[in-house]
Amino acid sequence: MPRYALLILPAFNRVYGESSIRLTRGELAVFDARGLGGKVVDTQETTIGGVPYVTFETSSDLSESDISLLSNLSSVYAIFGIEGELLRPLAMKPLDRLSSDLITIQKYAGKTNEHFTKLLLNVTVLAGDKGLGERLAVFDPMCGRGTTLNQALMYGYDAYGLDVDGKDFEAYSGFIKTWLRNKRLKHTAETVPVRRERALVGRRLNVTFGLSKEALKAGDVQHLAMVNADTLKSREFFKPRSFDVLVADAPYGVQHGSKGGSGLSRSPLELLRQAVPVWTELLRPGGAMGISWNTYGGKSSELAKILAGAGLDVMDYPDFEHWVDQAIVRDIIVARKPA
């Protein structure tokens, strides 16, 4: 059987790096089931030349399109074919169409590891009807300072976010406007107040950009929008069935609190019980919702009941649980909206 090896990206976050091999094996299983047609026969951790790799066998040779798909694994640095004791590098063709500093340049306390953000987006997209390489509309209803929005833009998607924190809204607005100017990408960007019956209910950042002046004129553009408002009011700012993918990194309880209409809570489940039905309305049929959360704030079975109660089908996915720090053990759950 053909054999392959994945070289894992070094993680700046040591704790996440210690989990990256196991998480990559789980992510590969999702890519295989949802994108490769079940070609992968076996995966394992293998040390080659003193360096850890994820190795696997396939029932048939990987095609060029298969390798392009695997190029988007969140923690993969290089892909090799194994030939005896030698590794043959394979040409990677990831979806990324923007400079990587869009993801890495922002540094602030509490930022989610960008490898994990990409993992969450990947496995959520793969649960839906559309492929990873298609043009998608992605919504993050608790987007913070925009790590998920930036990853969506990297893939060529349209990105939409909402967050209640005014400082995060201002920080992300300033960052993305500066980044677009520095990269000399043709764009329009404006921040406007949102009013209902003359009352101010939020602020909205609207951005449209193209990779070139010619692309902009031809209408080959990406759209970005971020709203400063309460996530429970998402329906006031976005139309039903607007998004192919919804991803949310839920508040981690002790560190960040959860606002669900009754003040701060240690458990994100209180917020999610109210928010998930609202978010589900925004998903298109055949779309998918992915949520990461702190398992100290609630069990997977409890969150699955919330998703099922909103009419979603919970995916049978591998275990993505991993330790973050003494107060946070993070996991992922993904569900699909029936077509």
Side-chain angles (χ1 to χ4, degrees):
M1 288 185 176
R3 296 182 64 216
Y4 299 89
L6 306 175
L7 178 61
I8 305 302
L9 276 163
F12 291 109
N13 183 307
R14 179 189 58 80
V15 173
Y16 189 81
E18 291 174 351
S19 302
S20 59
I21 292 287
R22 182 175 60 82
L23 293 175
T24 297
R25 292 177 67 183
E27 187 181 9
L28 177 59
V30 174
F31 271 65
D32 179 48
R34 304 292 298 179
L36 299 180
K39 283 187 178 182
V40 176
V41 177
D42 183 35
T43 68
Q44 54 188 299
E45 178 180 350
T46 305
T47 299
I48 304 174
V51 177
Y53 289 75
V54 171
T55 58
F56 60 97
E57 296 181 346
T58 56
S59 57
S60 60
D61 290 332
L62 293 179
S63 66
E64 186 174 329
S65 62
D66 291 338
I67 296 168
S68 295
L69 177 65
L70 294 178
S71 299
N72 298 294
L73 286 162
S74 61
S75 292
V76 167
Y77 186 60
I79 304 175
F80 299 92
I82 301 177
E83 299 179 356
E85 295 183 356
L86 301 178
L87 298 179
R88 177 171 57 87
L90 303 177
M92 296 178 65
K93 296 181 180 179
L95 293 172
D96 295 351
R97 55 186 267 154
L98 299 171
S99 172
S100 61
D101 63 358
L102 174 62
I103 301 294
T104 60
I105 198 171
Q106 287 180 291
K107 306 293 182 185
Y108 54 88
K111 180 183 178 182
T112 302
N113 181 284
E114 50 262 28
H115 295 174
F116 176 76
T117 296
K118 188 174 182 179
L119 168 62
L120 174 60
L121 180 60
N122 281 346
V123 298
T124 305
V125 171
L126 288 169
D129 286 354
K130 293 186 177 181
L132 200 66
E134 297 186 51
R135 183 67 175 267
L136 304 175
V138 175
F139 179 50
D140 183 346
M142 294 186 287
C143 65
R145 297 195 184 184
T147 304
T148 298
L149 305 184
N150 292 341
Q151 180 58 58
L153 295 176
M154 287 287 290
Y155 275 176
Y157 303 158
D158 293 327
Y160 302 86
L162 186 148
D163 201 273
V164 72
D165 192 315
K167 291 183 179 179
D168 283 348
F169 176 84
E170 292 165 4
Y172 183 68
S173 298
F175 164 75
I176 197 65
K177 290 177 181 178
T178 300
W179 188 87
L180 289 166
R181 286 196 302 268
N182 290 344
K183 295 300 177 181
R184 298 184 178 180
L185 293 177
K186 300 299 180 182
H187 68 280
T188 61
E190 62 173 354
T191 301
V192 298
V194 181
R195 300 182 183 279
R196 298 282 185 276
E197 298 179 355
R198 297 184 180 182
L200 181 66
V201 294
R203 293 177 291 170
R204 182 177 179 125
L205 167 70
N206 294 311
V207 176
T208 301
F209 71 92
L211 298 185
S212 66
K213 185 177 181 180
E214 293 72 26
L216 197 64
K217 286 184 177 179
D220 180 13
V221 297
Q222 287 178 251
H223 300 284
L224 165 69
M226 180 179 178
V227 175
N228 176 208
D230 191 325
T231 192
L232 299 181
K233 298 180 179 179
S234 297
R235 277 281 284 104
E236 297 182 18
F237 302 95
F238 300 102
K239 296 179 180 179
R241 303 186 176 192
S242 293
F243 307 116
D244 303 293
V245 177
L246 186 150
V247 289
D249 191 17
Y252 291 157
V254 176
Q255 276 66 25
H256 303 288
S258 304
K259 293 184 178 179
S262 58
L264 293 178
S265 167
R266 288 179 178 267
S267 171
L269 296 185
E270 295 182 24
L271 170 63
L272 293 173
R273 284 190 184 95
Q274 299 176 65
V276 166
V278 177
W279 298 345
T280 301
E281 291 185 42
L282 301 177
L283 264 184
R284 292 170 180 154
M289 181 184 301
I291 299 173
S292 64
W293 86 105
N294 181 9
T295 61
Y296 286 142
K299 296 180 180 179
S300 174
S301 58
E302 295 175 285
L303 185 48
K305 287 182 181 179
I306 293 173
L307 294 168
L312 302 176
D313 297 329
V314 178
M315 302 297 293
D316 182 15
Y317 267 6
D319 175 21
F320 288 110
E321 183 174 294
H322 60 285
W323 191 83
V324 177
D325 64 28
Q326 61 182 1
I328 302 172
V329 174
R330 187 166 53 196
D331 201 355
I332 289 174
I333 191 168
V334 177
R336 181 181 176 276
K337 187 173 184 178

